[in-house]
Amino acid sequence: MSVEAEEVENTAPGNKNIRVLAAGFIGNILEWYDFAVYGFFAPTLGKLFFPSDNPTTSLIAAFGAFAAGFLMRPVGAVLFGHIGDRLGRKKALTLSVMMMAVPTLLVGVLPTHAQIGVSAAVLMVILRMIQGVSVGGEYTSSFVFLVEHAPPHRRAFFGSWSMIGATCGILLGSAVGALINTFTTNEQLLEWGWRIPFLSGVLVAFVGYFIRHGIPEQPLSKELVEQEAYSPLKEAFASHKKELLQSAGLNMMNAVTFYTVFIYLSTWLVEEVGEDRAEALDINTISMAALTLFVPLVAILADKFGRKPFLLIGSAGVALLSPTLLGLMHHHNFALILTGQIGFALLIACFAGAIPATITELFKRGVRVSAASVSYNLPFALFGGTAPMVAAWLVKATGNPLAIAWYLSAIAAITFFIALTVKETNGNSLDE
């Protein structure tokens, strides 16, 4: 037994659980902090890197670069899924957090269009694509790791910490965005203020690396390790076709709703409702804090009552209530806007608290990271990364600021019917 394995073996159960939760939690803070900051500063980045006479065109171009990062997530899913299934979850988690740090730093020092012309836009898109590869491996590797290390009756709760890390990252990005918008003028924001959040994110990466350096690793199947030609992804498609489709269908609504509500709507409140940008980010910060509290509570309930009821409640709620909740947000009233966004947060939490455990429990160990990564990241690439761009386009094409509610409802309705086909996974064995 290695020294590291002996240390893990001799660790008290409580300390080991804290170490496991911290390892799954910390990497997601960095990954989603960076993606959130980009979304919140999209109008500024649009002016600096994708200038146009039409502000809406610049905004759509900026969100296009945001989408480019998401389109690379399936590449990260395949790469890190293979690493996680063949070499171990720990290696995938450690590599992904460092792969995010370098592009984050480079975005913070990147010259703008005014300095180097169109090359600035090209470099921004390339960096977003590299970050997309990293995110494609981070989130799913972390929740599979967390669920596998959880006590059987607490899998949803442990798995929810990957989502808590993501929401904390976005919460941190929103808070930093609010502070910078509050304490800088428009000129200062355009000149140097937007760089601060990207440069600051590098600190989180190093904390994440050191926490993950000593995390426990479950042993891999000796038979699989010895099969050099073994492909986890190929095996997943051979043995889990139905589950892959179900997982992708569940994540379709998860992707669209999350990135519309918590990334695009802060811009929508400024552009379409006329709210002050700092106030819009304040509302988003409070709503993200509410989501961060709701997710573990739902996960605890999902461990007690099962995953499927909450998948159905979340998708049905978004399908039916999106027009009403968005209508509440279309007012010059802080309380009404906040009520609408917290309503969305509660419905998203119903889904987010249950889905990490659900996806992990759908697949067998030898293909689990690959299957979870691909079925999660494909819908996020196709629907999540494009959600802000589609939302901006719908508003422009229809002239109706509330048109995006129908997109949310339609996607959620599809996911609801897919959720009906999923068997309850609570209590499924995670062994082969």
Side-chain angles (χ1 to χ4, degrees):
M1 182 179 289
S2 67
V3 173
E4 183 179 294
E6 289 179 354
E7 290 176 352
V8 171
E9 187 68 25
N10 294 327
T11 302
N15 292 336
K16 179 181 176 182
N17 287 343
I18 292 173
R19 195 172 179 180
V20 166
L21 290 173
F25 172 80
I26 189 67
N28 284 294
I29 292 181
L30 170 66
E31 305 277 356
W32 300 96
Y33 165 84
D34 180 82
F35 266 72
V37 163
Y38 186 94
F40 297 143
F41 284 93
T44 300
L45 296 174
K47 295 175 184 176
L48 292 171
F49 290 91
F50 309 95
S52 169
D53 294 335
N54 187 329
T56 301
T57 301
S58 290
L59 179 62
I60 291 174
F63 278 132
F66 182 84
F70 274 78
L71 291 174
M72 293 302 292
R73 286 177 61 160
V75 177
V78 173
L79 173 63
F80 286 97
H82 189 86
I83 293 171
D85 284 326
R86 291 302 307 267
L87 303 179
R89 286 44 165 158
K90 177 181 173 179
K91 287 184 174 62
L93 289 171
T94 304
L95 178 60
S96 70
V97 75
M98 295 311 297
M99 190 172 177
M100 190 70 171
V102 174
T104 299
L105 174 64
L106 293 178
V107 168
V109 299
L110 192 64
T112 65
H113 187 278
Q115 296 170 307
I116 61 172
V118 71
S119 298
V122 174
L123 289 172
M124 175 64 80
V125 171
I126 291 172
L127 291 174
R128 298 305 298 174
M129 291 171 72
I130 295 171
Q131 289 172 324
V133 173
S134 174
V135 174
E138 168 62 35
Y139 185 70
T140 45
S141 295
S142 67
F143 74 61
V144 168
F145 168 83
L146 286 166
V147 173
E148 287 182 341
H149 283 81
H153 62 288
R154 302 190 71 193
R155 288 177 189 159
F157 177 71
F158 269 59
S160 73
W161 278 83
S162 56
M163 183 64 187
I164 295 170
T167 59
C168 284
I170 296 175
L171 178 62
L172 182 62
S174 179
V176 169
L179 284 172
I180 290 174
N181 276 277
T182 299
F183 292 105
T184 62
T185 64
N186 288 335
E187 291 75 18
Q188 290 172 330
L189 182 65
L190 285 168
E191 185 176 350
W192 53 264
W194 67 272
R195 298 184 184 275
I196 295 175
F198 293 101
L199 296 174
S200 302
V202 177
L203 297 175
V204 183
F206 289 104
V207 174
Y209 176 81
F210 286 114
I211 288 177
R212 287 180 169 180
H213 182 68
I215 59 177
E217 176 71 277
Q218 289 191 341
L220 299 173
S221 168
K222 182 179 179 181
E223 291 77 12
L224 296 185
V225 171
E226 291 175 349
Q227 294 179 33
E228 294 184 5
Y230 175 75
S231 169
L233 187 59
K234 183 177 179 180
E235 174 63 22
F237 277 101
S239 59
H240 285 292
K241 289 187 180 70
K242 179 181 177 182
E243 290 83 0
L244 285 166
L245 291 172
Q246 288 173 326
S247 178
L250 294 177
N251 281 303
M252 185 167 62
M253 189 209 84
N254 196 19
V256 171
T257 307
F258 191 91
Y259 283 97
T260 300
V261 172
F262 293 114
I263 300 298
Y264 173 72
L265 286 187
S266 59
T267 297
W268 178 82
L269 286 171
V270 176
E271 302 292 333
E272 303 299 331
V273 182
E275 290 297 301
D276 178 75
R277 180 165 299 280
E279 186 169 279
L281 288 172
D282 286 341
I283 290 170
N284 203 74
T285 301
I286 296 170
S287 302
M288 287 298 305
L291 179 68
T292 306
L293 293 175
F294 292 152
V295 166
L297 293 176
V298 169
I300 291 170
L301 294 173
D303 276 327
K304 185 174 182 179
F305 300 107
R307 292 61 162 120
K308 188 169 180 176
F310 295 96
L311 298 176
L312 294 173
I313 291 170
S315 54
V318 173
L320 296 173
L321 298 178
S322 286
T324 300
L325 295 174
L326 200 67
L328 284 174
M329 297 181 69
H330 197 252
H331 291 88
H332 285 292
N333 183 298
F334 188 95
L336 285 177
I337 296 171
L338 184 60
T339 299
Q341 191 152 5
I342 287 181
F344 274 122
L346 180 58
L347 295 173
I348 292 169
C350 287
F351 224 74
I355 206 164
T358 303
I359 295 174
T360 304
E361 291 163 347
L362 280 174
F363 304 108
K364 64 183 181 181
R365 184 182 302 279
V367 303
R368 189 172 290 142
V369 181
S370 295
S373 296
V374 170
S375 62
Y376 179 91
N377 283 293
L378 276 175
F380 266 77
L382 296 174
F383 297 98
T386 58
M389 187 169 57
V390 170
W393 177 83
L394 279 172
V395 171
K396 181 180 180 181
T398 65
N400 178 7
L402 302 179
I404 53 180
W406 302 109
Y407 182 54
L408 292 174
S409 293
I411 294 292
I414 295 170
T415 292
F416 175 82
F417 288 108
I418 292 172
L420 287 174
T421 72
V422 177
K423 294 180 180 179
E424 178 59 59
T425 63
N426 191 15
N428 282 9
S429 172
L430 293 183
D431 296 326
E432 293 294 349

